[in-house]
Amino acid sequence: MENYLMGIRTILDANFDFEIVDEFFDHYSMMIESMEVMILDLNKPTEYSRSIEELFRVFHNIKSASGYLKMIPMAKLAAFVEDALEELRTTDALANDDIITWLLEISDMFAQWQDDLKLDNDLSHIKYSLLKIPELTK
């Protein structure tokens, strides 16, 4: 079967051990589920530190796992977000509304990829608007 006829799940199952792919799906689903709450918690001074650290860990894990599974767009976007979160971690300011909105749009992109995986589609193309990080401080 030619690769262009296969969706992402079929390609993963053909190239990697089923248990590895299945474990990725389970962990990815949990991370996607919790992502939005952590992003919204960046508005709360008492939750900020925990949320930024947890979000950083989530994107680091997605970057590593998707890189291993050769899902390059996912790995690249996760690395891009991880870098932005690293910069946020080193500032004293809380995330502004533009950053939170951007992160929610990023979360939507990763949720779209989750649907692509479930439906065995090709991975959707990254929305170009996501590739411009808003000002980190205002």
Side-chain angles (χ1 to χ4, degrees):
M1 189 183 288
E2 297 291 327
N3 270 0
Y4 66 85
L5 297 175
M6 296 188 286
I8 187 65
R9 177 68 194 236
T10 303
I11 292 169
L12 291 173
D13 286 342
N15 291 300
F16 297 95
D17 182 64
F18 171 78
E19 288 178 9
I20 292 170
V21 174
D22 214 39
E23 187 173 338
F24 170 78
F25 284 141
D26 289 345
H27 285 101
Y28 187 75
S29 294
M30 286 187 293
M31 290 185 284
I32 296 304
E33 246 177 64
S34 61
M35 200 180 283
E36 189 173 314
V37 171
M38 288 184 279
I39 293 166
L40 293 172
D41 279 351
L42 294 176
N43 266 332
K44 302 173 185 166
T46 57
E47 300 295 319
Y48 183 81
S49 182
R50 182 192 57 78
S51 293
I52 198 80
E53 294 300 324
E54 190 66 16
L55 278 169
F56 181 85
R57 188 183 66 74
V58 163
F59 283 101
H60 178 78
N61 289 344
I62 291 172
K63 176 189 76 175
S64 300
S66 59
Y68 176 79
L69 294 172
K70 299 185 181 2
M71 291 186 286
I72 304 308
M74 187 183 290
K76 285 185 174 183
L77 186 59
F80 183 69
V81 175
E82 181 186 38
D83 289 346
L85 291 172
E86 176 61 27
E87 198 170 329
L88 268 177
R89 287 165 75 193
T90 61
T91 65
D92 291 331
L94 297 178
N96 61 47
D97 289 344
D98 291 342
I99 289 290
I100 290 171
T101 299
W102 176 72
L103 286 169
L104 289 171
E105 291 170 1
I106 292 284
S107 174
D108 290 344
M109 184 78 245
F110 281 91
Q112 176 60 55
W113 283 333
Q114 181 183 27
D115 290 343
D116 293 340
L117 289 161
K118 284 180 186 172
L119 299 171
D120 198 20
N121 293 332
D122 289 336
L123 287 181
S124 298
H125 291 287
I126 295 172
K127 296 175 183 95
Y128 289 113
S129 62
L130 300 178
L131 302 178
K132 183 175 185 329
I133 301 171
E135 297 254 349
L136 295 179
T137 56
K138 281 194 177 178

